[in-house]
Amino acid sequence: MSDLIEGYIGKTTNGKKSRIPAKLDYIQSLTGGFLAIFMWGHMMMVSSILVSKDFMYYVTKFLEGSFIIDGGSPLMVSIFVFIVFVIFVVHAALGMRKLPSNFKQYQVLKAHTKSIQHQDTQLWGYQAFTGFVMFFLGSIHLYIIMTNSADIGPYASADRVWSEWMWPLYIALLLAVEFHGTIGLYRLCIKWGWFDGKDPQATRKRLKKVKWALTGFFLTLGFAALIVYMKIGMEHADKVGEKYVPTSMIKEAK
Amino acid sequence: MSRDITISVLKFNPRDEDSKPEFVEYNLKETPGMTLFIALTKIREEIDADLSFDFVCRAGICGSCGMVVNGVPTLACRTLIENYPDGKLQLIPMPAFELIKDLSVNTGKWMDNMSTKVESWIVSNDEVDITKIEEKMDPDTADAVFELDRCIECGICVASCATALMRPDFVGPAGLNRIARFSIDPRDKRTDDDFYELIGDDNGIFGCMSLLSCEDHCPKHLPLQNKIAYLRRKLVSVK
Ligand code: HEM
Ligand code: SF4
Ligand code: FES
């Protein structure tokens, strides 16, 4: 009943303003913060390929839970991806509230951003645009990984990147996620005044620097890893489907 | 040495059916220490008597002369022409407010509406005995209140804010600042619960997208970033 009353009358059953907008704002920050930090960890794992194929192989096995189950199980990965997917959808649903939702809003946002030349307004524009892009690209990536969690590894992943044509999508998704995530973390700190201290303006300048450094760092790492996967994928193109066998096992077999 | 300058103004009279919004260019000579107020007065006296714009104090105190100069909302009376090296200024009336004519907008109407929405006054049931000396306020608290009371209602923060432009019901930085001001005033007996009733939604504190254009353009350098974050933390946890 309270949903009906709150929906129609705009007041809770004890006559107060709904507390939900506060919760939504909070959950938006919580899910955004989680996704952004998760993306750091994710990038570290992805870029394990920069060390060696063996290293990437063992990182994958570790994430499949090889420390609990002998040999690991991709199901662990599927379950984890599903949880991330749910958080992603919740975050996107909340982010939608802020996007321009009709032509008039879009028109004034565009005219204003162009006219005022204000960096943080511009950055929000990028955040909104990249957020919109990720509705599609993020969903595709998450669904594929969730349903193909057994096919993660030095060859399987490289085949997906190259022979299964994921590289164009990954280029766009990498740009979108790194811009969106780092701008988002910067905004998160400002929004809640976390590091304001005595001189909020000085803090903001510092946060901005850290933000650009992070954007640069993760984009460099991301593209370096992507290029390596593309190269491996290209070289492995005639053997698609073959799984990677770590060097140590090859030796044992001899 | 006096430069030739060009001031281009978006002229439009919404009350005149024949009027169409268009940029009109005025060419004039810069004089030493010329402010935009002086330049516009000169245009009105010597070139175009029909040009409308607002000024009262000419000293950055009354908040009447906000306009968009080369894309940036500013107080015209505190804008020095010499700060524009190419001598070209484009003037647009501030968005977000009802347009009266040319550069003149009705910020008063917007501010009145905002003041009513956020109940911008001290709320208390205490009896005031005017024969007695007012109760003392801790000097630091008084300073903190005065700091936020310095708002001159110029509307520049509102015209700078993309959120306010997209969503006309948003109380804007000036409105949020007002709540911050009363929330630290010990004479005001309102609780966080009461403030939540006023701004606890997407037209209030939770609508702010932290674009910080208000902070960066407020001519009085009010601590808007810090105070808005403070209100958000305060109101997000109201039970
Ligand atoms: C479909 C996907 C997504 C959409 C539509 C989306 C949309 C948005 C929007 C519109 C905002 C701004 C909210 C505001 O101004 O108050 C935002 C904030 C944020 N997003 Fe996303 N986002 C998506 C995915 C992601 C991902 C994958 C990450 C992680 C890298 C992320 C991290 C953040 C962070 C940290 C914030 C700041 C949180 C806040 O302001 O409270 N988002 N998102
Ligand atoms: S907060 Fe600053 S910009 Fe906004 S109305 Fe007050 S003085 Fe003007
Ligand atoms: S005329 Fe008073 S602030 Fe500019």
PDB file of all heavy atoms in Angstrom, chain B residues 37-65:
ATOM      1  N   PHE B  37      30.302  47.690 -18.124  1.00  0.00           N
ATOM      2  CA  PHE B  37      29.222  48.614 -17.782  1.00  0.00           C
ATOM      3  C   PHE B  37      29.396  49.941 -18.516  1.00  0.00           C
ATOM      4  O   PHE B  37      28.459  50.484 -19.110  1.00  0.00           O
ATOM      5  CB  PHE B  37      29.191  48.856 -16.260  1.00  0.00           C
ATOM      6  CG  PHE B  37      28.478  50.113 -15.877  1.00  0.00           C
ATOM      7  CD1 PHE B  37      27.092  50.210 -15.990  1.00  0.00           C
ATOM      8  CD2 PHE B  37      29.184  51.226 -15.413  1.00  0.00           C
ATOM      9  CE1 PHE B  37      26.432  51.384 -15.652  1.00  0.00           C
ATOM     10  CE2 PHE B  37      28.532  52.398 -15.078  1.00  0.00           C
ATOM     11  CZ  PHE B  37      27.154  52.476 -15.197  1.00  0.00           C
ATOM     12  N   ILE B  38      30.630  50.476 -18.503  1.00  0.00           N
ATOM     13  CA  ILE B  38      30.896  51.752 -19.167  1.00  0.00           C
ATOM     14  C   ILE B  38      30.668  51.618 -20.673  1.00  0.00           C
ATOM     15  O   ILE B  38      30.036  52.467 -21.307  1.00  0.00           O
ATOM     16  CB  ILE B  38      32.337  52.237 -18.850  1.00  0.00           C
ATOM     17  CG1 ILE B  38      32.462  52.488 -17.343  1.00  0.00           C
ATOM     18  CG2 ILE B  38      32.680  53.490 -19.643  1.00  0.00           C
ATOM     19  CD1 ILE B  38      33.878  52.797 -16.871  1.00  0.00           C
ATOM     20  N   ALA B  39      31.156  50.502 -21.234  1.00  0.00           N
ATOM     21  CA  ALA B  39      31.002  50.292 -22.679  1.00  0.00           C
ATOM     22  C   ALA B  39      29.531  50.231 -23.078  1.00  0.00           C
ATOM     23  O   ALA B  39      29.104  50.869 -24.043  1.00  0.00           O
ATOM     24  CB  ALA B  39      31.725  49.011 -23.086  1.00  0.00           C
ATOM     25  N   LEU B  40      28.730  49.497 -22.303  1.00  0.00           N
ATOM     26  CA  LEU B  40      27.316  49.363 -22.657  1.00  0.00           C
ATOM     27  C   LEU B  40      26.582  50.695 -22.516  1.00  0.00           C
ATOM     28  O   LEU B  40      25.707  51.031 -23.328  1.00  0.00           O
ATOM     29  CB  LEU B  40      26.651  48.290 -21.775  1.00  0.00           C
ATOM     30  CG  LEU B  40      26.988  46.843 -22.148  1.00  0.00           C
ATOM     31  CD1 LEU B  40      26.503  45.875 -21.074  1.00  0.00           C
ATOM     32  CD2 LEU B  40      26.368  46.470 -23.491  1.00  0.00           C
ATOM     33  N   THR B  41      26.956  51.457 -21.484  1.00  0.00           N
ATOM     34  CA  THR B  41      26.326  52.764 -21.293  1.00  0.00           C
ATOM     35  C   THR B  41      26.645  53.664 -22.490  1.00  0.00           C
ATOM     36  O   THR B  41      25.780  54.386 -22.993  1.00  0.00           O
ATOM     37  CB  THR B  41      26.820  53.411 -19.987  1.00  0.00           C
ATOM     38  OG1 THR B  41      26.672  52.455 -18.947  1.00  0.00           O
ATOM     39  CG2 THR B  41      26.041  54.655 -19.651  1.00  0.00           C
ATOM     40  N   LYS B  42      27.900  53.567 -22.935  1.00  0.00           N
ATOM     41  CA  LYS B  42      28.320  54.376 -24.076  1.00  0.00           C
ATOM     42  C   LYS B  42      27.534  53.986 -25.341  1.00  0.00           C
ATOM     43  O   LYS B  42      27.079  54.852 -26.095  1.00  0.00           O
ATOM     44  CB  LYS B  42      29.821  54.160 -24.314  1.00  0.00           C
ATOM     45  CG  LYS B  42      30.473  55.316 -24.983  1.00  0.00           C
ATOM     46  CD  LYS B  42      31.986  55.232 -24.863  1.00  0.00           C
ATOM     47  CE  LYS B  42      32.574  56.217 -25.866  1.00  0.00           C
ATOM     48  NZ  LYS B  42      33.883  55.845 -26.354  1.00  0.00           N
ATOM     49  N   ILE B  43      27.351  52.673 -25.510  1.00  0.00           N
ATOM     50  CA  ILE B  43      26.576  52.215 -26.673  1.00  0.00           C
ATOM     51  C   ILE B  43      25.159  52.764 -26.595  1.00  0.00           C
ATOM     52  O   ILE B  43      24.626  53.296 -27.565  1.00  0.00           O
ATOM     53  CB  ILE B  43      26.545  50.672 -26.736  1.00  0.00           C
ATOM     54  CG1 ILE B  43      27.938  50.120 -27.035  1.00  0.00           C
ATOM     55  CG2 ILE B  43      25.549  50.193 -27.781  1.00  0.00           C
ATOM     56  CD1 ILE B  43      28.053  48.616 -26.926  1.00  0.00           C
ATOM     57  N   ARG B  44      24.573  52.698 -25.412  1.00  0.00           N
ATOM     58  CA  ARG B  44      23.187  53.155 -25.284  1.00  0.00           C
ATOM     59  C   ARG B  44      23.088  54.663 -25.519  1.00  0.00           C
ATOM     60  O   ARG B  44      22.138  55.155 -26.106  1.00  0.00           O
ATOM     61  CB  ARG B  44      22.606  52.779 -23.926  1.00  0.00           C
ATOM     62  CG  ARG B  44      21.124  53.124 -23.838  1.00  0.00           C
ATOM     63  CD  ARG B  44      20.390  52.271 -22.860  1.00  0.00           C
ATOM     64  NE  ARG B  44      20.904  52.450 -21.502  1.00  0.00           N
ATOM     65  CZ  ARG B  44      20.510  51.711 -20.475  1.00  0.00           C
ATOM     66  NH1 ARG B  44      19.618  50.754 -20.665  1.00  0.00           N
ATOM     67  NH2 ARG B  44      21.008  51.905 -19.282  1.00  0.00           N
ATOM     68  N   GLU B  45      24.099  55.413 -25.044  1.00  0.00           N
ATOM     69  CA  GLU B  45      24.038  56.868 -25.201  1.00  0.00           C
ATOM     70  C   GLU B  45      24.358  57.312 -26.619  1.00  0.00           C
ATOM     71  O   GLU B  45      23.775  58.265 -27.118  1.00  0.00           O
ATOM     72  CB  GLU B  45      25.016  57.534 -24.222  1.00  0.00           C
ATOM     73  CG  GLU B  45      24.423  57.640 -22.831  1.00  0.00           C
ATOM     74  CD  GLU B  45      25.439  58.085 -21.790  1.00  0.00           C
ATOM     75  OE1 GLU B  45      26.605  58.335 -22.169  1.00  0.00           O
ATOM     76  OE2 GLU B  45      25.061  58.170 -20.614  1.00  0.00           O
ATOM     77  N   GLU B  46      25.290  56.608 -27.260  1.00  0.00           N
ATOM     78  CA  GLU B  46      25.770  57.130 -28.533  1.00  0.00           C
ATOM     79  C   GLU B  46      25.338  56.340 -29.766  1.00  0.00           C
ATOM     80  O   GLU B  46      25.330  56.892 -30.872  1.00  0.00           O
ATOM     81  CB  GLU B  46      27.314  57.195 -28.504  1.00  0.00           C
ATOM     82  CG  GLU B  46      27.812  58.182 -27.462  1.00  0.00           C
ATOM     83  CD  GLU B  46      29.332  58.141 -27.292  1.00  0.00           C
ATOM     84  OE1 GLU B  46      30.008  57.480 -28.122  1.00  0.00           O
ATOM     85  OE2 GLU B  46      29.829  58.753 -26.338  1.00  0.00           O
ATOM     86  N   ILE B  47      25.010  55.049 -29.585  1.00  0.00           N
ATOM     87  CA  ILE B  47      24.742  54.259 -30.795  1.00  0.00           C
ATOM     88  C   ILE B  47      23.314  53.712 -30.851  1.00  0.00           C
ATOM     89  O   ILE B  47      22.628  53.839 -31.847  1.00  0.00           O
ATOM     90  CB  ILE B  47      25.732  53.069 -30.931  1.00  0.00           C
ATOM     91  CG1 ILE B  47      27.178  53.545 -30.729  1.00  0.00           C
ATOM     92  CG2 ILE B  47      25.572  52.407 -32.292  1.00  0.00           C
ATOM     93  CD1 ILE B  47      28.213  52.443 -30.728  1.00  0.00           C
ATOM     94  N   ASP B  48      22.872  53.096 -29.758  1.00  0.00           N
ATOM     95  CA  ASP B  48      21.585  52.410 -29.812  1.00  0.00           C
ATOM     96  C   ASP B  48      20.799  52.639 -28.514  1.00  0.00           C
ATOM     97  O   ASP B  48      21.013  51.958 -27.519  1.00  0.00           O
ATOM     98  CB  ASP B  48      21.831  50.904 -30.027  1.00  0.00           C
ATOM     99  CG  ASP B  48      20.540  50.126 -30.155  1.00  0.00           C
ATOM    100  OD1 ASP B  48      19.448  50.731 -30.050  1.00  0.00           O
ATOM    101  OD2 ASP B  48      20.617  48.894 -30.370  1.00  0.00           O
ATOM    102  N   ALA B  49      19.889  53.573 -28.554  1.00  0.00           N
ATOM    103  CA  ALA B  49      19.126  53.935 -27.350  1.00  0.00           C
ATOM    104  C   ALA B  49      18.162  52.820 -26.946  1.00  0.00           C
ATOM    105  O   ALA B  49      17.622  52.814 -25.840  1.00  0.00           O
ATOM    106  CB  ALA B  49      18.362  55.228 -27.577  1.00  0.00           C
ATOM    107  N   ASP B  50      17.958  51.876 -27.840  1.00  0.00           N
ATOM    108  CA  ASP B  50      16.996  50.808 -27.592  1.00  0.00           C
ATOM    109  C   ASP B  50      17.592  49.619 -26.827  1.00  0.00           C
ATOM    110  O   ASP B  50      16.889  48.702 -26.426  1.00  0.00           O
ATOM    111  CB  ASP B  50      16.446  50.346 -28.956  1.00  0.00           C
ATOM    112  CG  ASP B  50      15.536  49.153 -28.824  1.00  0.00           C
ATOM    113  OD1 ASP B  50      14.487  49.306 -28.165  1.00  0.00           O
ATOM    114  OD2 ASP B  50      15.892  48.071 -29.337  1.00  0.00           O
ATOM    115  N   LEU B  51      18.913  49.631 -26.622  1.00  0.00           N
ATOM    116  CA  LEU B  51      19.571  48.479 -25.987  1.00  0.00           C
ATOM    117  C   LEU B  51      19.225  48.383 -24.492  1.00  0.00           C
ATOM    118  O   LEU B  51      19.379  49.347 -23.745  1.00  0.00           O
ATOM    119  CB  LEU B  51      21.097  48.606 -26.153  1.00  0.00           C
ATOM    120  CG  LEU B  51      21.934  47.467 -25.573  1.00  0.00           C
ATOM    121  CD1 LEU B  51      21.658  46.171 -26.313  1.00  0.00           C
ATOM    122  CD2 LEU B  51      23.419  47.808 -25.652  1.00  0.00           C
ATOM    123  N   SER B  52      18.748  47.210 -24.060  1.00  0.00           N
ATOM    124  CA  SER B  52      18.374  47.040 -22.645  1.00  0.00           C
ATOM    125  C   SER B  52      19.382  46.180 -21.894  1.00  0.00           C
ATOM    126  O   SER B  52      19.804  45.135 -22.378  1.00  0.00           O
ATOM    127  CB  SER B  52      17.013  46.351 -22.533  1.00  0.00           C
ATOM    128  OG  SER B  52      16.032  47.114 -23.160  1.00  0.00           O
ATOM    129  N   PHE B  53      19.751  46.650 -20.722  1.00  0.00           N
ATOM    130  CA  PHE B  53      20.595  45.866 -19.806  1.00  0.00           C
ATOM    131  C   PHE B  53      20.404  46.433 -18.407  1.00  0.00           C
ATOM    132  O   PHE B  53      19.914  47.546 -18.243  1.00  0.00           O
ATOM    133  CB  PHE B  53      22.061  45.926 -20.231  1.00  0.00           C
ATOM    134  CG  PHE B  53      22.603  47.323 -20.422  1.00  0.00           C
ATOM    135  CD1 PHE B  53      23.145  48.022 -19.347  1.00  0.00           C
ATOM    136  CD2 PHE B  53      22.564  47.931 -21.665  1.00  0.00           C
ATOM    137  CE1 PHE B  53      23.642  49.297 -19.519  1.00  0.00           C
ATOM    138  CE2 PHE B  53      23.061  49.222 -21.842  1.00  0.00           C
ATOM    139  CZ  PHE B  53      23.603  49.908 -20.768  1.00  0.00           C
ATOM    140  N   ASP B  54      20.798  45.673 -17.397  1.00  0.00           N
ATOM    141  CA  ASP B  54      20.540  46.091 -16.011  1.00  0.00           C
ATOM    142  C   ASP B  54      21.801  46.407 -15.241  1.00  0.00           C
ATOM    143  O   ASP B  54      22.781  45.655 -15.326  1.00  0.00           O
ATOM    144  CB  ASP B  54      19.816  44.969 -15.248  1.00  0.00           C
ATOM    145  CG  ASP B  54      18.460  44.684 -15.832  1.00  0.00           C
ATOM    146  OD1 ASP B  54      17.818  45.636 -16.301  1.00  0.00           O
ATOM    147  OD2 ASP B  54      18.054  43.506 -15.827  1.00  0.00           O
ATOM    148  N   PHE B  55      21.766  47.472 -14.493  1.00  0.00           N
ATOM    149  CA  PHE B  55      22.857  47.828 -13.582  1.00  0.00           C
ATOM    150  C   PHE B  55      22.272  48.592 -12.412  1.00  0.00           C
ATOM    151  O   PHE B  55      21.293  49.293 -12.560  1.00  0.00           O
ATOM    152  CB  PHE B  55      23.873  48.759 -14.266  1.00  0.00           C
ATOM    153  CG  PHE B  55      24.768  48.045 -15.205  1.00  0.00           C
ATOM    154  CD1 PHE B  55      24.434  47.954 -16.544  1.00  0.00           C
ATOM    155  CD2 PHE B  55      25.920  47.450 -14.760  1.00  0.00           C
ATOM    156  CE1 PHE B  55      25.246  47.283 -17.429  1.00  0.00           C
ATOM    157  CE2 PHE B  55      26.743  46.770 -15.638  1.00  0.00           C
ATOM    158  CZ  PHE B  55      26.408  46.691 -16.971  1.00  0.00           C
ATOM    159  N   VAL B  56      22.853  48.492 -11.249  1.00  0.00           N
ATOM    160  CA  VAL B  56      22.496  49.370 -10.132  1.00  0.00           C
ATOM    161  C   VAL B  56      23.770  49.888  -9.466  1.00  0.00           C
ATOM    162  O   VAL B  56      24.091  51.067  -9.559  1.00  0.00           O
ATOM    163  CB  VAL B  56      21.587  48.672  -9.092  1.00  0.00           C
ATOM    164  CG1 VAL B  56      21.238  49.641  -7.974  1.00  0.00           C
ATOM    165  CG2 VAL B  56      20.315  48.152  -9.755  1.00  0.00           C
ATOM    166  N   CYS B  57      24.533  48.977  -8.856  1.00  0.00           N
ATOM    167  CA  CYS B  57      25.621  49.455  -7.999  1.00  0.00           C
ATOM    168  C   CYS B  57      26.925  49.740  -8.750  1.00  0.00           C
ATOM    169  O   CYS B  57      27.722  50.543  -8.329  1.00  0.00           O
ATOM    170  CB  CYS B  57      25.888  48.430  -6.903  1.00  0.00           C
ATOM    171  SG  CYS B  57      26.682  46.933  -7.531  1.00  0.00           S
ATOM    172  N   ARG B  58      27.144  49.087  -9.845  1.00  0.00           N
ATOM    173  CA  ARG B  58      28.376  49.193 -10.638  1.00  0.00           C
ATOM    174  C   ARG B  58      29.619  48.781  -9.846  1.00  0.00           C
ATOM    175  O   ARG B  58      30.726  49.146 -10.186  1.00  0.00           O
ATOM    176  CB  ARG B  58      28.558  50.617 -11.184  1.00  0.00           C
ATOM    177  CG  ARG B  58      27.305  51.141 -11.844  1.00  0.00           C
ATOM    178  CD  ARG B  58      27.451  52.510 -12.413  1.00  0.00           C
ATOM    179  NE  ARG B  58      28.102  53.513 -11.578  1.00  0.00           N
ATOM    180  CZ  ARG B  58      27.607  54.091 -10.503  1.00  0.00           C
ATOM    181  NH1 ARG B  58      26.405  53.706 -10.052  1.00  0.00           N
ATOM    182  NH2 ARG B  58      28.254  55.029  -9.852  1.00  0.00           N
ATOM    183  N   ALA B  59      29.430  48.036  -8.761  1.00  0.00           N
ATOM    184  CA  ALA B  59      30.580  47.687  -7.916  1.00  0.00           C
ATOM    185  C   ALA B  59      30.545  46.244  -7.435  1.00  0.00           C
ATOM    186  O   ALA B  59      31.158  45.898  -6.438  1.00  0.00           O
ATOM    187  CB  ALA B  59      30.615  48.629  -6.724  1.00  0.00           C
ATOM    188  N   GLY B  60      29.810  45.398  -8.139  1.00  0.00           N
ATOM    189  CA  GLY B  60      29.778  43.985  -7.763  1.00  0.00           C
ATOM    190  C   GLY B  60      29.075  43.708  -6.447  1.00  0.00           C
ATOM    191  O   GLY B  60      29.422  42.761  -5.742  1.00  0.00           O
ATOM    192  N   ILE B  61      28.073  44.507  -6.118  1.00  0.00           N
ATOM    193  CA  ILE B  61      27.409  44.331  -4.833  1.00  0.00           C
ATOM    194  C   ILE B  61      25.928  43.964  -4.990  1.00  0.00           C
ATOM    195  O   ILE B  61      25.394  43.171  -4.224  1.00  0.00           O
ATOM    196  CB  ILE B  61      27.514  45.619  -3.983  1.00  0.00           C
ATOM    197  CG1 ILE B  61      28.980  45.960  -3.736  1.00  0.00           C
ATOM    198  CG2 ILE B  61      26.783  45.467  -2.664  1.00  0.00           C
ATOM    199  CD1 ILE B  61      29.196  47.346  -3.199  1.00  0.00           C
ATOM    200  N   CYS B  62      25.281  44.541  -6.005  1.00  0.00           N
ATOM    201  CA  CYS B  62      23.830  44.365  -6.081  1.00  0.00           C
ATOM    202  C   CYS B  62      23.417  43.091  -6.816  1.00  0.00           C
ATOM    203  O   CYS B  62      22.316  42.581  -6.622  1.00  0.00           O
ATOM    204  CB  CYS B  62      23.176  45.573  -6.729  1.00  0.00           C
ATOM    205  SG  CYS B  62      23.497  45.683  -8.496  1.00  0.00           S
ATOM    206  N   GLY B  63      24.291  42.586  -7.693  1.00  0.00           N
ATOM    207  CA  GLY B  63      23.968  41.359  -8.420  1.00  0.00           C
ATOM    208  C   GLY B  63      22.998  41.546  -9.574  1.00  0.00           C
ATOM    209  O   GLY B  63      22.357  40.596  -9.989  1.00  0.00           O
ATOM    210  N   SER B  64      22.879  42.763 -10.117  1.00  0.00           N
ATOM    211  CA  SER B  64      21.909  42.994 -11.206  1.00  0.00           C
ATOM    212  C   SER B  64      22.469  42.737 -12.591  1.00  0.00           C
ATOM    213  O   SER B  64      21.708  42.583 -13.532  1.00  0.00           O
ATOM    214  CB  SER B  64      21.431  44.444 -11.229  1.00  0.00           C
ATOM    215  OG  SER B  64      21.249  44.924  -9.950  1.00  0.00           O
ATOM    216  N   CYS B  65      23.802  42.776 -12.739  1.00  0.00           N
ATOM    217  CA  CYS B  65      24.366  42.911 -14.078  1.00  0.00           C
ATOM    218  C   CYS B  65      24.930  41.626 -14.657  1.00  0.00           C
ATOM    219  O   CYS B  65      25.752  41.684 -15.567  1.00  0.00           O
ATOM    220  CB  CYS B  65      25.435  43.985 -14.059  1.00  0.00           C
ATOM    221  SG  CYS B  65      26.846  43.516 -13.038  1.00  0.00           S
TER     222      CYS B  65
END
